[in-house]
Amino acid sequence: MSATYGEMVRLTLFGESHGKGIGLVLDGVPAGTPVDEGFIRSEMARRAPGRNLLSTQRQETDAFLIESGVFEGRAAGTPICVLIPNSDQHSKDYSLLKDTMRPGHADYAGKVKYRGFNDYRGGGHFSGRLTAPLVWAGALAKTALAGEGVLVGAHIARLADVTDRAFNPMGEKAETLVALRTHVLPTLDKEAAPRMEAAILAAREALDSVGGVVEVMVTGLPAGLGDPFFDSLESRLAHALFSVPAVKGLEFGDGFGIAALRGSQANDAMHYEGGTVKTLTNHNGGITGGITDGMPVVFRAAVKPTPSIARPQRTVNVAERCDTVLEIKGRHDPCIVPRAVPVLEAVTAWTLWDVLLRDQRGDRGI
C-alpha cells in the first residue's frame, strides 16, 4: 500500500477516519520555506465538516499539531510531521458495516485487498477524512508557489443540474481567484450559488446526494514545466487528482469537447506579446506535449455524489454470504463538492511545487 506521493518533496499520509488522529509527514521541504500557520488554518477551515447543513454534521475543527520540522515559522529542513486529532467519532454508527458492504464505497474492495484486517469504521484509511492532511500540504505549497508568482484557484463549475460560468481560459484576475476561497459555494456567477444550495438541501431532504464538477485554474506558471510521455504535467496532475476520493473524471482545456473540433479550430495560434510568446486561444489548457506553454493551466474534475445515503440500497452481507438491503445511518455529506474544492486546489499546488522544484534544480534548456 502506498501512502507516499512526490519526487522532490514527498508527502506521506497516515491515520484512519475513526482512529486517534490523522496526519502527514513531509520530507524534502527546502529549509527556510515559510510555514504560515494562519493561512494553513484558513485553508483547513474551508474543508472542515460541520459548518452548515450542506455538509456532514460531524464536528471536527481540523486543529493541527506540528510535531517536528518547523522552527520559528520556517521549515527546518528536516521531516515535517503534522498530527490532526480526531475528536468527534461515532464509531458505533459503523458496527453494521463490518460485514454489510456499502454500495459506492471501498468497503468490499478494501476488505478483499487487506483480507479483512482493514479498519472499516467511517471508511478507515479510504475516508475523505484523509483529505485534511492534503489541504495542510497544499496550503504550504500555495505559500511557496506564491513566492514564484504562481496562483491556484477553483470554483464549482456544476453542481447537480446547476452550472456556473466557466473560467476565462485566457486567465482570471488574481483577486477573482483569491476571492473564491472566501465562499462556502465558490461560484463566479453569484446567482448560481443559491441555486446550488437549494439542490443540495433538496437532496438531503430526499435522503439522497448530488455530485458536480470543479474547475481549477493555475496562473503564473512559466513555459517549459513537465516532461513528455510518462511524466507529462497532465500525467502528474492526474495521478494526484485521481488520488482524491470521489474524483471520477478529468479533462484539460476543452477536454472531450476538443474531439469535436477541427485542427484549425483546436490549435492555439501563437504570437509575441511584449517579447513573450503567447497563444490567442487556450483550447489545450496551457499544456502541450505534456509541458506548460506559459498560458493558464485549466482543467475540470468530476466529483461523484456522496455514496453514503439513507435510502435503502441493495448490497451483500459477506459474513452470511447473502444479499441484503442497507439503510446507512450516521452523519454524511449530501454533497461533497464544496469541500472538494480546497482539496483539489491543494493536490494541484503540491504537485506543481514538486515539479517546479525539480525544474529549478535541473536545466530547462531555455
Side-chain angles (χ1 to χ4, degrees):
M1 175 178 183
S2 175
T4 300
Y5 178 69
E7 182 179 346
M8 305 302 293
V9 282
R10 292 170 298 283
L11 159 65
T12 300
L13 300 178
F14 65 82
E16 291 81 31
S17 176
H18 284 234
K20 293 182 178 180
I22 56 177
L24 66 158
V25 176
L26 306 179
D27 193 16
V29 175
T33 299
V35 181
D36 186 341
E37 294 189 40
F39 177 65
I40 293 172
R41 278 191 288 270
S42 69
E43 289 290 279
M44 298 285 282
R46 295 173 62 200
R47 194 221 68 95
R51 293 189 293 165
N52 49 56
L53 290 177
L54 305 182
S55 69
T56 172
Q57 294 309 289
R58 177 172 177 171
Q59 300 293 316
E60 295 284 2
T61 64
D62 282 354
F64 57 85
L65 302 171
I66 300 176
E67 302 284 357
S68 65
V70 177
F71 182 66
E72 295 183 344
R74 292 185 179 271
T78 53
I80 296 174
C81 180
V82 180
L83 176 65
I84 305 170
N86 290 328
S87 60
D88 190 28
Q89 312 97 304
H90 286 186
S91 298
K92 61 181 175 57
D93 291 342
Y94 294 90
S95 57
L96 174 67
L97 304 179
K98 181 178 184 295
D99 300 309
T100 304
M101 306 292 97
R102 294 173 297 175
H105 276 280
D107 294 354
Y108 176 68
K111 194 175 188 72
V112 172
K113 173 74 174 177
Y114 300 111
R115 297 176 291 135
F117 291 103
N118 58 299
D119 184 346
Y120 60 84
R121 300 169 302 168
H125 192 72
F126 294 101
S127 172
R129 178 90 183 112
L130 271 293
T131 60
L134 291 178
V135 172
W136 201 103
L140 179 70
K142 283 182 179 179
T143 300
L145 289 174
E148 302 287 340
V150 178
L151 180 63
V152 180
H155 72 115
I156 303 174
R158 189 176 81 230
L159 192 149
D161 60 352
V162 181
T163 59
D164 188 23
R165 81 161 175 86
F167 277 140
N168 179 346
M170 303 302 287
E172 295 282 351
K173 294 180 179 179
E175 51 264 36
T176 299
L177 297 178
V178 172
L180 287 168
R181 300 174 183 171
T182 64
H183 302 293
V184 174
L185 293 172
T187 59
L188 299 166
D189 179 357
K190 293 182 180 179
E191 295 182 0
R195 290 189 287 122
M196 290 181 180
E197 180 176 352
I200 296 174
L201 295 177
R204 175 186 283 276
E205 182 68 21
L207 305 180
D208 216 330
S209 62
V210 291
V213 176
V214 176
E215 185 176 42
V216 180
M217 172 172 280
V218 186
T219 61
L221 285 173
L225 288 180
D227 291 283
F229 294 100
F230 303 118
D231 276 333
S232 75
L233 195 62
E234 291 114 326
S235 301
R236 293 289 305 273
L237 286 169
H239 185 158
L241 292 163
F242 276 122
S243 299
V244 176
V247 170
K248 301 300 290 185
L250 180 64
E251 61 176 5
F252 289 85
D254 285 0
F256 284 94
I258 207 168
L261 303 179
R262 291 190 172 187
S264 57
Q265 299 170 304
N267 291 342
D268 297 312
M270 306 168 75
H271 71 124
Y272 273 103
E273 184 178 301
T276 302
V277 175
K278 299 286 187 181
T279 60
L280 295 172
T281 55
N282 194 18
H283 298 296
N284 290 279
I287 304 173
T288 50
I291 301 170
T292 56
D293 62 11
M295 298 301 291
V297 169
V298 185
F299 63 84
R300 286 164 296 282
V303 180
K304 73 178 184 180
T306 317
S308 288
I309 58 175
R311 285 189 171 191
Q313 300 180 83
R314 293 178 58 186
T315 188
V316 295
N317 183 305
V318 295
E320 299 180 7
R321 301 182 65 84
C322 67
D323 295 345
T324 187
V325 174
L326 173 66
E327 294 184 43
I328 298 175
K329 308 299 181 183
R331 304 162 297 174
H332 305 286
D333 293 82
C335 180
I336 57 178
V337 176
R339 296 174 62 207
V341 172
V343 179
L344 295 175
E345 288 180 20
V347 296
T348 299
W350 182 261
T351 302
L352 292 175
W353 188 33
D354 190 38
V355 173
L356 193 62
L357 283 174
R358 186 176 74 168
D359 181 79
Q360 290 172 342
R361 296 180 189 182
D363 180 13
R364 192 153 31 111
I366 296 178

